[in-house]
């Protein structure tokens, strides 16, 4: 048993269902989903398109509310957690504000949350260093590559020190090489902070490489069908991807996915 | 063969050093013209325009009451500028245009914001908007003169009506240009409605708002002048009308050029404002 599991889980999802629309157009996106996440975990949600993994992420982040069931974060409602600014969110698109340069983009949450201006420079500098963009603070989004834009988005999500980072296919739009590099960067960030990460992806290698546990989701009903613990040692590197343990875990996740 | 004496102009020929200096200056000039090509086109096109104008008079032999010489127009301009006559009229027309513009800025942007936020309201309002848009402004302008008299007010109203719809549509489209991800991001920060407006909606809509302002400023002049045409004793539109009544074509042309210059100044100031407010944004995204 590691130290994380001794305290109360940071996220507790119980029997969540979510329906969109009504009548003949009704779509059941999630059915009876249960999930407990401990503080400091890195959980990947993986599954076929339309299995509701993004919906589940949005329920946790209180961007949509579930039809039934309860979702709690730090023993309070998800709505309260959002008000308390417990979430940093990274979408598939970087969603940067194109009229702000990199520094001002990362400052956005600090500005909205009323963090004293005197702290901005120091905090933003720390994030720029964390994502390796120290020399790009005055660049505008359109002057950066896709990978760099996504790093700005990660810096912006972490700058207000949220306890949970919700990532919705953040590297899905990147090319394979940039993606592998970003995976490594994200693990580096993960080990240097105490943030808990929920990571939606449809890439099996990515999920296995990054996570402490992989939650495999199925379609119709959209629910978590398997949870695969990933006991690859940290720190992980490019070499990790060539170990037999890694391949076995990839196979295990793939088979869990195939059962549905 | 008889050896010829050195030609007397020999010393006047440029030295080798001078030739290379001249050549490098020439290359620089060509580079400047190439890089700033668009600016060199402006004086060039003006010269071409005046030359074409004169050519038409020469070849067709138009008398002055049909088409005046450029010089006659220039002389007329100098006269009205020297006696200050033109400035009165410019001020009058500008006042009308700016009142119309400011009223439109206030109403079109606030109504546009509301309609941009609520599709239901937009649906409810759209029959009226389309109906109002289809009324030819020249058709109702005389009515407005009848209702509001000869002063500044009716012209400001006509200017307002002419620019209201383009500015309204630009505001609606601008507010709609905020994407759902950006809204979700602000929602995840628990941003207030005011913060969403000031940090997201306003800057996101800014390029289209400014495009509306640019068009609005230029067209407000047109609205004011149309109004002056139909009634009144002052303004640049009145001057055009006066010139046509007196068959004074140089006065008509002088007034038209003044209108063009004022409109260009308005448009140019709006473009400078746009450049300042959209600093750093990608140009083709604007």
């Amino acid at each position: 048993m590691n130290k994380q599991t001794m305290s109360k889980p940071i996220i507790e999802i119980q029997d969540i269902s979510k329906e969109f629309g009504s009548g003949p157009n009704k779509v059941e996106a999630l059915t009876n989903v249960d999930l407990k996440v401990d503080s400091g975990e890195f959980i990947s949600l993986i599954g076929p398109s339309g299995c509701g993994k993004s919906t589940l992420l949005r329920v946790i982040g209180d961007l949509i509310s579930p039809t039934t069931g309860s979702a709690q974060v730090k023993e309070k409602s998800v709505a309260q957690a959002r008000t308390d600014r417990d979430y940093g969110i990274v979408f598939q698109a970087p969603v940067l504000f194109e009229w702000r340069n990199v520094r001002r983009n990362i400052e956005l949450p600090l500005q909205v949350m009323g963090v004293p201006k005197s702290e901005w420079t120091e905090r933003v500098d720390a994030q720029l260093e964390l994502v390796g963009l120290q020399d790009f603070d005055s660049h505008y989004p359109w002057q950066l590559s896709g990978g760099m834009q996504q790093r700005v988005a990660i810096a912006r999500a972490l700058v207000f020190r949220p306890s949970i980072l919700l990532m919705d296919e953040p590297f899905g739009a990147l090319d394979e090489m940039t993606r592998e590099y970003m995976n490594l960067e994200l693990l580096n960030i993960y080990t240097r902070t105490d943030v808990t990460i929920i990571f939606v992806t449809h890439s099996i290698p990515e999920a296995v490489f990054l996570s402490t546990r992989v939650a495999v989701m199925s379609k119709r009903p959209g629910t978590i069908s398997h949870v695969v613990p990933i006991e690859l040692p940290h720190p992980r590197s490019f070499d990790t991807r060539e170990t037999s343990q890694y391949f076995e875990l990839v196979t295990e996740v793939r088979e869990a996915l195939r059962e549905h | 063969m008889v050896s010829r004496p050195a030609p007397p102009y020999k010393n006047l020929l440029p030295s080798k050093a001078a030739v290379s200096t001249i050549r490098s200056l020439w290359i620089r000039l060509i580079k400047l013209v190439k890089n700033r090509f668009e600016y060199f086109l402006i004086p060039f096109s003006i010269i071409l325009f005046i030359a074409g104008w004169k050519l038409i008079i020469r070849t067709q032999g138009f008398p002055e009451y049909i088409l005046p010489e450029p010089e006659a127009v220039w002389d007329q301009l100098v006269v009205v500028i020297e006696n200050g006559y033109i400035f009165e009229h410019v001020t009058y027309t500008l006042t009308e245009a700016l009142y119309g513009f400011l009223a439109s800025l206030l109403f079109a942007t606030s109504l546009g914001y509301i309609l941009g936020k609520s599709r239901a309201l937009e649906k409810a309002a759209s029959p009226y908007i389309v109906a109002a848009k289809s009324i030819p402004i020249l058709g109702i302008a005389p009515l407005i003169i009848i209702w509001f008299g000869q002063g500044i007010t009716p012209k400001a109203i006509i200017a307002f009506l002419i620019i209201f719809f383009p500015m309204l549509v630009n505001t609606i489209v601008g507010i709609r240009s905020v994407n759902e991800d950006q809204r979700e991001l602000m929602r995840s920060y628990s941003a207030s409605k005011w913060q969403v407006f000031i940090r997201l909606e306003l800057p996101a809509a800014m390029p289209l708002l400014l495009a509306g302002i640019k068009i609005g400023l230029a067209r407000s002049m047109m609205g004011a002048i149309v109004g002056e045409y139909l009634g009144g004793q002052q303004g640049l539109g009145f001057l055009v009308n006066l010139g046509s009544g007196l068959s004074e074509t140089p006065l008509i042309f002088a007034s038209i050029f003044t209108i063009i210059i004022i409109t260009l100044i308005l448009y140019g100031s709006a473009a400078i404002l746009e450049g300042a407010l959209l600093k750093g944004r990608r140009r083709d995204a604007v």
Side-chain angles (χ1 to χ4, degrees), chain B residues 181-193:
Chain B
D181 279 353
Q182 290 174 323
R183 287 192 189 283
E184 271 199 340
L185 184 76
M186 291 300 272
R187 193 168 138 75
S188 79
Y189 302 152
S190 293
S192 66
K193 280 197 169 122

Side-chain angles (χ1 to χ4, degrees), chain A residues 58 62 82 85 91 112 142, chain B residues 184 187 189-190 195 280:
Chain A
R58 281 173 160 70
D62 190 41
R82 181 166 65 83
R85 280 122 185 195
F91 300 94
V112 171
W142 61 271
Chain B
E184 271 199 340
R187 193 168 138 75
Y189 302 152
S190 293
Q195 285 174 323

